Amino acid sequence: MRHSMTLTGPQLKARVIDDIEREDQDTWLEPHDDDAFHQLVRRLVAEGDHHAAQLGRRAPRTLAEMRARINIQAGTACPDCQGAGGRTVDTSSGGVTRKSWESCGSCNGLGVR
């Protein structure tokens, strides 16, 4: 007499989930083309910068620049930090580059009056 094993209910679900997880792991281990992705991002950034420059503008690159732009447009920018919430302080010496963020004392780093 031969017994056949059939999977039902939770056993079948567990087996299917195991198969899906195994496929995901195999896909993740495949080599990714990071160079092509980075080239695409660099090209898109360069195109965006070019278009902004044609309009006499510049894309904000840091959170402080983004915050300042929003605060200036809203008319609430702190006059001491121009809405950025502080400034970058360069304490480089001896060939070592050191930059740190110093919050604005007037607005307590909020960028608004």
Side-chain angles (χ1 to χ4, degrees):
M1 177 180 217
R2 195 170 162 190
H3 294 279
S4 64
M5 183 175 173
T6 58
L7 298 176
T8 59
Q11 290 177 332
L12 179 60
K13 286 182 183 178
R15 194 114 186 238
V16 171
I17 291 171
D18 288 344
D19 290 343
I20 292 171
E21 288 177 346
R22 194 174 306 106
E23 282 180 29
D24 285 347
Q25 288 174 348
D26 292 345
T27 302
W28 177 250
L29 295 175
E30 291 176 4
H32 297 288
D33 196 356
D34 289 339
D35 289 337
F37 173 74
H38 290 289
Q39 288 173 5
L40 172 65
V41 170
R42 281 192 291 272
R43 191 183 89 232
L44 292 173
V45 168
E47 287 176 12
D49 286 348
H50 175 73
H51 291 298
Q54 286 180 327
L55 298 171
R57 299 193 64 175
R58 184 181 156 280
R61 294 285 186 231
T62 66
L63 181 59
E65 289 175 341
M66 292 176 207
R67 182 187 306 128
R69 181 176 281 183
I70 291 168
N71 289 338
I72 289 168
Q73 288 174 348
T76 60
C78 170
D80 291 336
C81 65
Q82 289 75 45
R87 64 188 179 103
T88 303
V89 179
D90 187 349
T91 58
S92 302
S93 65
V96 177
T97 302
R98 290 183 199 91
K99 292 187 179 191
S100 59
W101 181 256
E102 184 177 274
S103 291
C104 175
S106 298
C107 65
N108 293 321
L110 297 176
V112 294
R113 351 175 190 174

